[in-house]
Amino acid sequence: MNRSWLLVPVLGILYFNDVSAGELYPHGNAQHMYLGLSGALVDVDADYVDSGSMLSASGSIDNTLIGAIVGYQLHENFAFEARGYGNVSDETINGISVSVDSHFSVLARGILPLNEYFRPYALLGYGKSKVSAAEVSEDDNDIIYGLGVSISNGNRVQLELEWMRLYDESFSAGDVNYGLQGDSINLNLVYHFPSP
């Protein structure tokens, strides 16, 4: 059973509750550390094409992952961070359990500070995902990228909405071509510590 919908009201309550008042970017030094909780809805699309027999197939799975974010903002336009996620749901296809078990990444964040409340950003980095089907599991390392927007209500807690491309792989074995693509939609709740 998918319980990912429970994450939305919890993040909303924490965001709209005045967890820690104060200016997010006080005049002067913008360098600070941040920590966050993240929920990721991961969609994996797989394609199989056999050019010899002209057979093809495709499928899609959806998983929910919960994770943590640790980051450091060096400048109002740049930060770097590390993320780790674990699976909380899997999907069954033709009686076989398929899941994205975990995902770890190191990312650079380019931020466009439009104003105090609304900050779009881009993410670029390196990630490692572990995918399982039945008793078989495989690790995939790839360049990852994405776009997001950070919304603040004036305190140090920010709500973030992101799209990320976790992996995009294609490979061949004889006449058979495989393609695997993974995207995620993330909802993050991030607390920014005061500048040192």
PDB file of all heavy atoms in Angstrom, residues 5 8-10 37 79 100 115 124 153 173 179 195:
ATOM      1  N   TRP A   5       1.025   9.732   0.420  1.00  0.00           N
ATOM      2  CA  TRP A   5       0.120  10.865   0.596  1.00  0.00           C
ATOM      3  C   TRP A   5       0.181  11.405   2.018  1.00  0.00           C
ATOM      4  O   TRP A   5      -0.170  12.563   2.269  1.00  0.00           O
ATOM      5  CB  TRP A   5      -1.305  10.480   0.216  1.00  0.00           C
ATOM      6  CG  TRP A   5      -1.850   9.351   1.041  1.00  0.00           C
ATOM      7  CD1 TRP A   5      -1.758   8.020   0.781  1.00  0.00           C
ATOM      8  CD2 TRP A   5      -2.558   9.466   2.279  1.00  0.00           C
ATOM      9  NE1 TRP A   5      -2.351   7.285   1.773  1.00  0.00           N
ATOM     10  CE2 TRP A   5      -2.857   8.155   2.707  1.00  0.00           C
ATOM     11  CE3 TRP A   5      -2.951  10.530   3.056  1.00  0.00           C
ATOM     12  CZ2 TRP A   5      -3.537   7.906   3.889  1.00  0.00           C
ATOM     13  CZ3 TRP A   5      -3.637  10.280   4.239  1.00  0.00           C
ATOM     14  CH2 TRP A   5      -3.922   8.976   4.641  1.00  0.00           C
ATOM     15  N   VAL A   8       2.450  14.709   2.607  1.00  0.00           N
ATOM     16  CA  VAL A   8       2.003  16.056   2.224  1.00  0.00           C
ATOM     17  C   VAL A   8       1.463  16.843   3.417  1.00  0.00           C
ATOM     18  O   VAL A   8       1.903  17.969   3.670  1.00  0.00           O
ATOM     19  CB  VAL A   8       0.982  15.986   1.068  1.00  0.00           C
ATOM     20  CG1 VAL A   8       0.410  17.356   0.772  1.00  0.00           C
ATOM     21  CG2 VAL A   8       1.644  15.397  -0.169  1.00  0.00           C
ATOM     22  N   PRO A   9       0.500  16.325   4.216  1.00  0.00           N
ATOM     23  CA  PRO A   9       0.017  17.136   5.341  1.00  0.00           C
ATOM     24  C   PRO A   9       1.081  17.370   6.411  1.00  0.00           C
ATOM     25  O   PRO A   9       1.108  18.436   7.027  1.00  0.00           O
ATOM     26  CB  PRO A   9      -1.168  16.337   5.893  1.00  0.00           C
ATOM     27  CG  PRO A   9      -1.076  14.985   5.305  1.00  0.00           C
ATOM     28  CD  PRO A   9      -0.265  15.087   4.059  1.00  0.00           C
ATOM     29  N   VAL A  10       1.970  16.407   6.625  1.00  0.00           N
ATOM     30  CA  VAL A  10       3.031  16.594   7.624  1.00  0.00           C
ATOM     31  C   VAL A  10       3.954  17.735   7.210  1.00  0.00           C
ATOM     32  O   VAL A  10       4.268  18.626   8.014  1.00  0.00           O
ATOM     33  CB  VAL A  10       3.832  15.284   7.824  1.00  0.00           C
ATOM     34  CG1 VAL A  10       5.063  15.525   8.675  1.00  0.00           C
ATOM     35  CG2 VAL A  10       2.953  14.222   8.455  1.00  0.00           C
ATOM     36  N   LEU A  37      14.236  17.385   5.020  1.00  0.00           N
ATOM     37  CA  LEU A  37      13.565  16.111   4.790  1.00  0.00           C
ATOM     38  C   LEU A  37      13.000  16.149   3.382  1.00  0.00           C
ATOM     39  O   LEU A  37      12.526  17.191   2.924  1.00  0.00           O
ATOM     40  CB  LEU A  37      12.425  15.919   5.783  1.00  0.00           C
ATOM     41  CG  LEU A  37      12.799  15.834   7.252  1.00  0.00           C
ATOM     42  CD1 LEU A  37      11.532  15.785   8.112  1.00  0.00           C
ATOM     43  CD2 LEU A  37      13.643  14.599   7.507  1.00  0.00           C
ATOM     44  N   ALA A  79      25.181  26.766  -3.784  1.00  0.00           N
ATOM     45  CA  ALA A  79      25.262  25.872  -2.628  1.00  0.00           C
ATOM     46  C   ALA A  79      25.665  24.489  -3.119  1.00  0.00           C
ATOM     47  O   ALA A  79      25.580  24.192  -4.310  1.00  0.00           O
ATOM     48  CB  ALA A  79      23.914  25.803  -1.909  1.00  0.00           C
ATOM     49  N   VAL A 100      12.979   0.828  -6.532  1.00  0.00           N
ATOM     50  CA  VAL A 100      14.190   1.625  -6.432  1.00  0.00           C
ATOM     51  C   VAL A 100      14.509   1.614  -4.945  1.00  0.00           C
ATOM     52  O   VAL A 100      13.838   2.264  -4.143  1.00  0.00           O
ATOM     53  CB  VAL A 100      13.963   3.064  -6.943  1.00  0.00           C
ATOM     54  CG1 VAL A 100      15.231   3.884  -6.786  1.00  0.00           C
ATOM     55  CG2 VAL A 100      13.503   3.056  -8.388  1.00  0.00           C
ATOM     56  N   ASN A 115      13.427  36.973  -5.004  1.00  0.00           N
ATOM     57  CA  ASN A 115      13.069  37.771  -3.833  1.00  0.00           C
ATOM     58  C   ASN A 115      13.179  36.894  -2.595  1.00  0.00           C
ATOM     59  O   ASN A 115      13.616  35.749  -2.675  1.00  0.00           O
ATOM     60  CB  ASN A 115      11.670  38.393  -3.970  1.00  0.00           C
ATOM     61  CG  ASN A 115      10.592  37.352  -4.209  1.00  0.00           C
ATOM     62  OD1 ASN A 115      10.506  36.362  -3.500  1.00  0.00           O
ATOM     63  ND2 ASN A 115       9.766  37.579  -5.229  1.00  0.00           N
ATOM     64  N   LEU A 124      22.814  20.040 -10.350  1.00  0.00           N
ATOM     65  CA  LEU A 124      23.665  19.216 -11.203  1.00  0.00           C
ATOM     66  C   LEU A 124      24.622  18.453 -10.307  1.00  0.00           C
ATOM     67  O   LEU A 124      25.213  19.042  -9.388  1.00  0.00           O
ATOM     68  CB  LEU A 124      24.451  20.074 -12.193  1.00  0.00           C
ATOM     69  CG  LEU A 124      25.435  19.332 -13.110  1.00  0.00           C
ATOM     70  CD1 LEU A 124      24.690  18.389 -14.045  1.00  0.00           C
ATOM     71  CD2 LEU A 124      26.286  20.317 -13.883  1.00  0.00           C
ATOM     72  N   ASN A 153       7.926  31.511   3.673  1.00  0.00           N
ATOM     73  CA  ASN A 153       6.921  32.424   4.209  1.00  0.00           C
ATOM     74  C   ASN A 153       7.547  33.445   5.153  1.00  0.00           C
ATOM     75  O   ASN A 153       6.871  34.021   5.998  1.00  0.00           O
ATOM     76  CB  ASN A 153       5.785  31.654   4.894  1.00  0.00           C
ATOM     77  CG  ASN A 153       6.259  30.893   6.114  1.00  0.00           C
ATOM     78  OD1 ASN A 153       7.442  30.878   6.433  1.00  0.00           O
ATOM     79  ND2 ASN A 153       5.328  30.238   6.793  1.00  0.00           N
ATOM     80  N   ALA A 173      22.796  -5.626 -26.161  1.00  0.00           N
ATOM     81  CA  ALA A 173      23.368  -6.961 -26.010  1.00  0.00           C
ATOM     82  C   ALA A 173      22.938  -7.756 -27.233  1.00  0.00           C
ATOM     83  O   ALA A 173      21.802  -8.217 -27.313  1.00  0.00           O
ATOM     84  CB  ALA A 173      22.890  -7.620 -24.720  1.00  0.00           C
ATOM     85  N   GLY A 179      16.592   0.358 -22.759  1.00  0.00           N
ATOM     86  CA  GLY A 179      16.601   1.753 -22.331  1.00  0.00           C
ATOM     87  C   GLY A 179      15.965   1.863 -20.963  1.00  0.00           C
ATOM     88  O   GLY A 179      14.963   1.206 -20.674  1.00  0.00           O
ATOM     89  N   SER A 195      23.478  32.315   9.887  1.00  0.00           N
ATOM     90  CA  SER A 195      24.850  32.483   9.395  1.00  0.00           C
ATOM     91  C   SER A 195      25.811  32.480  10.571  1.00  0.00           C
ATOM     92  O   SER A 195      25.500  33.001  11.641  1.00  0.00           O
ATOM     93  CB  SER A 195      24.996  33.800   8.633  1.00  0.00           C
ATOM     94  OG  SER A 195      24.142  33.798   7.519  1.00  0.00           O
TER      95      SER A 195
END
